[in-house]
Amino acid sequence: MKDKWDNYIDSLSAFGEDITELLIALKPGPKTDKIKKQVNLRWEKLRKLTDAIGELIVPIDPEDIILPYENPQFAEYWKRYKEYLQEEHHIFMQSRRENELLKVLKVWGGESDKKAISILSFLIRSGYRSFFKPTDRQLSGDEPATATEEQQQFSMNINKHSQI
């Protein structure tokens, strides 16, 4: 988000420079002086609003995401899982939490990315918003996709505005 904000500020600054040049190029006169005054007042109001919003955006740089498996299929499933959370549950994952979840997924999946992919696929097709390790019976389809009491408790701690 910080990158988008920085791009917005750069664009707004460039626009401000263009407006300043335009105002300087206008011939002096009562009508143009009034327009210049209105533009300057509106620009100042916009600048103050931008500063206020800028204070709300925390300038924390995101971490680099470290995928636990080099297989491109795993990277695609991880991307798909994040998109699923955004689309279905309006949950957007930040870099630090994402790296921690990837570490846990590596522990659950072991050396094989197939189990990790299977876990992600299960969470998506079952409609879960929480991140938990399904049982082997759930992954194989022998057991219905119902959350255990512990999983339900974890799920209750996450709401629509959570950042997984």
Side-chain angles (χ1 to χ4, degrees):
M1 180 163 177
K2 184 171 178 340
D3 291 339
K4 288 181 181 180
W5 180 251
D6 290 341
N7 288 337
Y8 172 76
I9 294 297
D10 292 344
S11 297
L12 191 62
S13 296
F15 178 73
E17 291 170 11
D18 293 343
I19 291 294
T20 301
E21 287 181 36
L22 183 63
L23 292 175
I24 291 170
L26 289 175
K27 292 182 182 179
K31 230 178 187 180
T32 56
D33 288 345
K34 183 178 178 181
I35 292 171
K36 286 180 182 182
K37 186 175 181 179
Q38 286 177 339
V39 169
N40 281 328
L41 287 173
R42 288 185 178 149
W43 178 256
E44 187 59 24
K45 184 177 180 180
L46 182 60
R47 191 189 62 74
K48 286 180 181 178
L49 287 170
T50 302
D51 288 347
I53 294 170
E55 290 175 9
L56 300 175
I57 297 176
V58 181
I60 296 175
D61 293 328
E63 292 181 346
D64 292 333
I65 302 303
I66 302 166
L67 295 175
Y69 304 102
E70 294 181 18
N71 182 348
Q73 187 179 12
F74 174 79
E76 184 59 34
Y77 260 87
W78 182 249
K79 179 181 173 196
R80 189 164 191 246
Y81 176 69
K82 291 190 322 180
E83 289 170 349
Y84 154 76
L85 289 175
Q86 291 173 8
E87 179 182 34
E88 186 122 349
H89 301 291
H90 308 287
I91 295 173
F92 298 87
M93 204 178 316
Q94 301 297 325
S95 64
R96 285 159 182 78
R97 182 162 304 206
E98 184 174 351
N99 275 330
E100 291 303 313
L101 292 179
L102 285 165
K103 287 176 190 175
V104 169
L105 192 57
K106 170 70 173 177
V107 171
W108 292 345
E111 293 305 312
S112 170
D113 65 344
K114 288 181 176 148
K115 184 163 185 182
I117 289 171
S118 180
I119 290 170
L120 295 175
S121 177
F122 170 82
L123 294 173
I124 292 170
R125 75 174 173 269
S126 301
Y128 286 109
R129 65 186 301 140
S130 58
F131 192 79
F132 66 91
K133 182 181 180 185
T135 65
D136 289 335
R137 290 178 47 94
Q138 287 174 320
L139 289 176
S140 70
D142 292 337
E143 183 178 311
T146 57
T148 65
E149 187 176 311
E150 180 181 298
Q151 293 161 352
Q152 289 172 350
Q153 180 62 37
F154 180 73
S155 181
M156 290 187 322
N157 293 332
I158 296 178
N159 61 37
K160 182 175 174 179
H161 303 290
S162 294
Q163 308 238 343
I164 186 158

